[in-house]
Amino acid sequence: MIYATLKTLHLLSIVVWIGGMVFAHFFLRPAVAQLEAPLRLRLMHDVLGRFFQAVLVASLLTLASGVWMLGRVAKQVVQSGGNFEMPLAWTVMAVLGVVMVAIFMHIRFALYKRFSRAVAVSEWAAAGAALAQIRTWVSVNLGLGVLVVLVALMRWST
């Protein structure tokens, strides 16, 4: 029961994170591109602020539930007298997940902070540059997230 709950939290967190990146990158960004810079940048600041709060929770839940599930499986194998060898797919998912969280933390606590400061003082060129950097790193994280999902679906075990 605990494992199923952890896996559900893990998957729902990933859906929120990756789904939000898809929405922001492919639907929201093109739609607001036609707005004047001050309006567009304020809107994106507000939307990203809310989204990044959700992703902060989702990313930490993803990490914690993933580590907990790995630990439970390893403990069960060892308690039954076996040697735990983490499957390649799990290793790839874990490594890419940690990289994704690190990238998100950079986005949230460095780039978004820079973006927020620029929006607060109406420095639209600086805000636009910061938003462009956020978009670049979100694209990287989206690519990594899709790769993690593909690894999970392929069930590579060697």
Side-chain angles (χ1 to χ4, degrees), residues 86-155:
M86 195 154 90
L88 177 59
W90 293 9
T91 302
V92 170
M93 286 187 284
V95 169
L96 292 179
V98 169
V99 169
M100 287 180 68
V101 170
I103 289 171
F104 168 70
M105 294 300 175
H106 173 67
I107 292 168
R108 172 59 188 92
F109 295 108
L111 300 179
Y112 183 73
K113 188 175 183 179
R114 188 178 313 148
F115 180 49
S116 294
R117 282 193 304 258
V119 168
V121 295
S122 301
E123 290 181 5
W124 305 123
L131 185 58
Q133 288 182 317
I134 290 170
R135 181 176 54 246
T136 297
W137 283 107
V138 166
S139 297
V140 170
N141 248 7
L142 179 56
L144 292 174
V146 169
L147 181 58
V148 169
V149 169
L150 292 175
V151 167
L153 293 174
M154 297 294 236
R155 293 192 181 260

Side-chain angles (χ1 to χ4, degrees), residues 1-102:
M1 178 69 175
I2 290 176
Y3 188 87
T5 302
L6 289 171
K7 192 168 188 176
T8 301
L9 280 174
H10 191 77
L11 293 173
L12 289 175
S13 295
I14 291 167
V15 167
V16 166
W17 191 359
I18 294 175
M21 288 189 293
V22 167
F23 171 77
H25 192 72
F26 294 108
F27 301 99
L28 179 62
R29 186 180 60 85
V32 302
Q34 48 194 303
L35 299 175
E36 296 294 324
L39 182 59
R40 179 181 70 249
L41 293 167
R42 282 189 188 110
L43 177 64
M44 289 302 293
H45 179 265
D46 290 347
V47 169
L48 291 177
R50 288 176 176 85
F51 176 59
F52 290 161
Q53 286 300 104
V55 172
L56 182 60
V57 172
S59 65
L60 296 177
L61 267 175
T62 299
L63 237 110
S65 59
V67 167
W68 196 335
M69 287 187 295
L70 282 171
R72 284 183 58 87
V73 170
K75 182 180 175 182
Q76 288 172 344
V77 169
V78 169
Q79 285 178 339
S80 66
N83 290 327
F84 177 71
E85 292 184 31
M86 195 154 90
L88 177 59
W90 293 9
T91 302
V92 170
M93 286 187 284
V95 169
L96 292 179
V98 169
V99 169
M100 287 180 68
V101 170

